């Protein structure tokens, strides 16, 4: 997780630098916005909470590093807010690195090629994809967020990563239990589960005890009839 968010930060920095050199200010802002919300907040911070609750404080320094640099990247677009946040953040950081008194005087961050980690990005993409897939099934079948959902995962080549990130997947997707399949004969019957493919991983979600399958079939038939009627009308 830590290698992934640091790599994503430097890849975003690289892209922002390129866009600013091309005077594409709006696109540069969009890259920053997307990184802050969709990667740092939605995933990195939420995954870090799982580790922090288990007593692992390592994510704190990584999050501080990424946030401090991202505030400097964002400063030309949001000078007053970023100055306020940067002052509060740096006041709680260890007094090292020679940071100036104001973000205005701080150097604009540059991407470090050695920080780019394609392996970590690829492995975490599978983890994030699995969580998204389970959330999408929950939404589609209208399964309440508090209702536990069993998940079986045939991880393919990514078994080690998913095993390491099992607690994060369970927490973020609200899965209980989460089982990694070591033998494909353990897969549930296809007619009793929703099957989602995420990269080289396959997720099986048995819904017999969670969803009224007959009612779901009826709902899908009604949606199909409504779609056909709309096509005929058009």
């Amino acid at each position: 997780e830590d290698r992934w968010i640091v790599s994503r930060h430097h890849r975003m920095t690289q892209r922002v630098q390129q866009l600013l050199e091309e005077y594409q200010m709006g696109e540069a802002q969009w890259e920053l916005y997307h990184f802050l919300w969709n990667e740092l907040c939605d995933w990195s911070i939420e995954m870090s909470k799982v580790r922090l609750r288990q007593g692992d404080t390592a994510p704190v320094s990584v999050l501080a590093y990424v946030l401090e640099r991202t505030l400097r990247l964002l400063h030309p677009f949001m000078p007053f807010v970023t100055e306020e946040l940067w002052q509060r953040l740096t006041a709680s950081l260890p007094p090292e690195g020679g940071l100036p008194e104001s973000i205005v005087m701080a150097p604009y961050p540059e991407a470090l090629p050695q920080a780019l980690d394609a392996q970590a990005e690829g492995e975490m993409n599978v983890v994030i994809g699995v969580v998204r897939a389970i959330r999408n099934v929950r939404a589609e079948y209208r399964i309440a967020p508090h209702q536990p959902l069993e998940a079986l995962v045939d991880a393919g080549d990514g078994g080690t990563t998913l095993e390491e990130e099992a607690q994060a997947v369970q927490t973020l997707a609200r899965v209980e239990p989460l089982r990694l399949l070591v033998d494909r004969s353990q897969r549930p019957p296809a007619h009793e589960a929703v099957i989602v493919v995420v990269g080289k991983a396959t997720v099986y979600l048995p819904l017999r005890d969670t969803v009224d399958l007959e009612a779901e079939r009826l709902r899908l038939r009604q949606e199909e009839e409504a779609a056909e009627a709309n096509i005929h009308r058009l």
Side-chain angles (χ1 to χ4, degrees), residues 89-123:
L89 175 63
T90 54
S92 62
L93 295 179
E96 55 187 44
L99 289 174
E101 294 180 0
S102 170
I103 195 173
V104 175
M105 297 181 286
Y108 203 65
E110 295 183 2
L112 302 176
Q114 64 269 28
L116 302 179
D117 192 333
Q119 179 187 1
E121 290 187 35
E123 291 178 358

Side-chain angles (χ1 to χ4, degrees), residues 34 65-66 85 104 122:
H34 175 83
Y65 169 81
V66 171
L85 293 175
V104 175

Side-chain angles (χ1 to χ4, degrees), residues 156-200:
D157 297 338
T160 303
T161 303
L162 279 169
E163 188 175 353
E164 292 172 352
E165 298 295 333
Q167 189 60 53
V169 173
Q170 282 185 267
T171 302
L172 298 180
R174 291 176 181 161
V175 167
E176 186 62 44
L178 171 68
R179 290 195 285 138
L180 297 179
L181 298 179
V182 293
D183 183 356
R184 293 193 172 181
S185 65
Q186 299 173 334
R187 294 178 297 182
H191 65 279
E192 293 184 3
V194 173
I195 302 171
V196 185
V197 177
V198 182
K200 295 181 179 180

